[in-house]
Amino acid sequence: MTDLILTTFDWVPETPRGYVRDIRVRWALEEAGLPYHVNSVPFRDRGAEHFSHQPFSQVPWLTDGDLSIFESGAILLHLGERSELLMPVNPHSRSEVKQWLFAALASVEAASQPWSFFKFSGVTGETPMWKFFDDFLILRLKQMEAVLTGREWLVGAFSIADILMADVLRLVDRFDGLAAYPACHDYVARATARPSFVKAHADQMEHFAAAD
């Protein structure tokens, strides 16, 4: 079997290290024990080859034989279909995993990502836009707190839905945004204590640091 190829940037500034979205793919690959290696593309000079794989000049993308797949959610879904360790075989549970995978992207990250942009930039004063996104995130966190209370993982065993949801919430936790949501905080702590995440995080940090 040909190794999967994960492509990410050769370097990024220190602030996003540990949060670049190739970590979601690394995490899934480590969790499933799928063989892979990492390729790099320039961070500062994104050429035509990059755009041919990722039309928004972002990362990551995954090469699986003659397939080239971009967007972390789509990549996780592809890997889930390859490994029972990432997505169950049972049709009902499989459907639940898929719906939570998309919920992490479309419902939770839709609130957390713009909120995090304000946090990164330090623009968190009493402006209408900050209040809008802060209120939006609070609503989503309250809803996720209700979902995660008394539940170890989103759908039975750990899955790609947990990789994506935990990574989305992990960015909020970076700014202590989960302090009032103990079930969400504990969920992120459980997920990121898994050896697969620990290795994925260390590998990403080492990868970018090597280019300094």
Side-chain angles (χ1 to χ4, degrees):
M1 181 186 296
T2 305
D3 283 6
L4 298 161
I5 303 169
L6 169 63
T7 301
T8 188
F9 288 128
D10 57 350
W11 175 90
V12 296
E14 286 191 17
T15 300
R17 292 183 190 184
Y19 293 86
V20 181
R21 289 179 182 173
D22 69 85
I23 198 165
R24 299 172 176 179
V25 184
R26 291 176 185 265
W27 189 355
L29 290 164
E30 294 293 340
E31 189 76 34
L34 293 169
Y36 72 101
H37 67 271
V38 178
N39 277 1
S40 297
V41 288
F43 174 75
R44 292 189 173 92
D45 183 19
R46 305 177 195 184
E49 176 67 9
H50 190 154
F51 278 91
S52 72
H53 290 277
Q54 220 294 351
F56 307 107
S57 76
Q58 298 170 329
V59 295
W61 69 82
L62 182 78
T63 305
D64 183 357
D66 60 356
L67 294 175
S68 180
I69 308 162
F70 70 94
E71 289 294 340
S72 60
I75 297 170
L76 290 182
L77 186 57
H78 176 76
L79 294 176
E81 289 169 345
R82 287 192 52 158
S83 173
E84 295 177 25
L85 295 174
L86 298 174
M87 190 160 63
V89 174
N90 175 275
H92 181 80
S93 297
R94 201 173 182 87
S95 179
E96 284 193 271
V97 166
K98 289 178 182 179
Q99 73 182 6
W100 279 112
L101 182 80
F102 283 96
L105 291 168
S107 295
V108 183
E109 193 166 49
S112 67
Q113 187 176 53
W115 181 88
S116 69
F117 289 157
F118 277 92
K119 283 290 191 177
F120 275 122
S121 66
V123 183
T124 56
E126 289 300 316
T127 64
M129 288 306 294
W130 162 250
K131 188 175 187 319
F132 173 83
F133 285 116
D134 193 42
D135 288 347
F136 187 18
L137 180 62
I138 287 170
L139 173 63
R140 287 292 183 255
L141 292 177
K142 286 179 178 178
Q143 292 163 333
M144 285 308 303
E145 186 73 3
V147 168
L148 292 169
T149 297
R151 188 184 302 198
E152 183 179 21
W153 306 117
L154 287 168
V155 185
F158 185 84
S159 71
I160 52 172
D162 297 299
I163 289 175
L164 195 41
M165 186 67 78
D167 195 54
V168 168
L169 293 175
R170 188 171 68 93
L171 183 57
V172 178
D173 198 41
R174 177 177 184 168
F175 298 103
D176 296 323
L178 301 182
Y181 307 95
C184 291
H185 180 272
D186 292 349
Y187 171 73
V188 171
R190 280 195 302 278
T192 56
R194 296 177 74 86
S196 53
F197 174 82
V198 173
K199 184 175 188 307
H201 185 271
D203 287 350
Q204 186 187 90
M205 296 297 284
E206 182 180 359
H207 175 85
F208 293 132
D212 285 340

